[in-house]
Every structure is written in C-alpha cells, then in structure tokens.
Amino acid sequence: MRQSSIRVALCLALAIAGMTAAHAADTPVENAAPEPRQTENSSLQAFIKANPDCLEFTDQCSHCAVVNGVAECSTAEIACIKRENQCTRRITN
C-alpha cells in the first residue's frame, strides 16, 4: 500500500512540474524582439499610403485587398519566396 502511495505522489509531482514548465514557456519574455507582424503591418500601411489607387496587391506569399484603407491579407502560402509588394489591381476611372 505504501509503494502505491509513493507512486501516486510521484506522478502528481511530475504532473505539476510539467504544468509549471508549460506555463513558463507561454509567458512572454521582457525585452524580447518585436514580433514580425508589427513590422509587417507598418510596411503594409506604408505601401497603401504610397499607392492610394491600389485595390489589391501581393508579395508572392500573401494576397491582400485594401478595404477602407486597411489591408486584409490571406495566410502566407507554404514555401514561398517573399518579394516586394506589387499592386495587382488599381482603381479604374
């Protein structure tokens, strides 16, 4: 009976240690490098500002449409080579 109690206690201790390690991995690290999405959003906004007549554009990985001045982009394709944004559809007069 005593061995089974020790085994149960050991299993609980290992489970708690595993949960603590998983939780620590999820917490953000202070002074970490900014996420790429922040830089990406600023470059998208710069592209939209520089090309006000562009309705759709692509970087060969994602395809974006400009809706109310904001880029709505698809998820990047697998194994793509990212290039500079190029307008694929402009406002026609």
Side-chain angles (χ1 to χ4, degrees), residues 57-76:
F57 59 94
T58 183
D59 62 2
Q60 302 300 317
C61 292
S62 297
H63 301 280
C64 305
V66 180
V67 179
N68 297 323
V70 177
E72 293 184 4
C73 301
S74 66
T75 304

Side-chain angles (χ1 to χ4, degrees), residues 6 10 13-14 18 24 26-27 29 33 37 39 43 47 49 54 57 59-61 63-64 66 74 76 91 93:
I6 292 172
L10 182 59
L14 289 173
D26 289 340
T27 55
V29 177
R37 185 165 279 306
T39 304
S43 67
F47 180 81
K49 191 173 186 177
C54 186
F57 59 94
D59 62 2
Q60 302 300 317
C61 292
H63 301 280
C64 305
V66 180
S74 66
I91 296 172
N93 293 332

Side-chain angles (χ1 to χ4, degrees), residues 16-55:
I16 291 170
M19 289 188 305
T20 304
H23 179 69
D26 289 340
T27 55
V29 177
E30 289 185 32
N31 299 326
E35 291 195 22
R37 185 165 279 306
Q38 292 174 343
T39 304
E40 186 176 304
N41 284 341
S42 63
S43 67
L44 290 178
Q45 291 302 328
F47 180 81
I48 292 169
K49 191 173 186 177
N51 299 278
D53 63 334
C54 186
L55 296 175

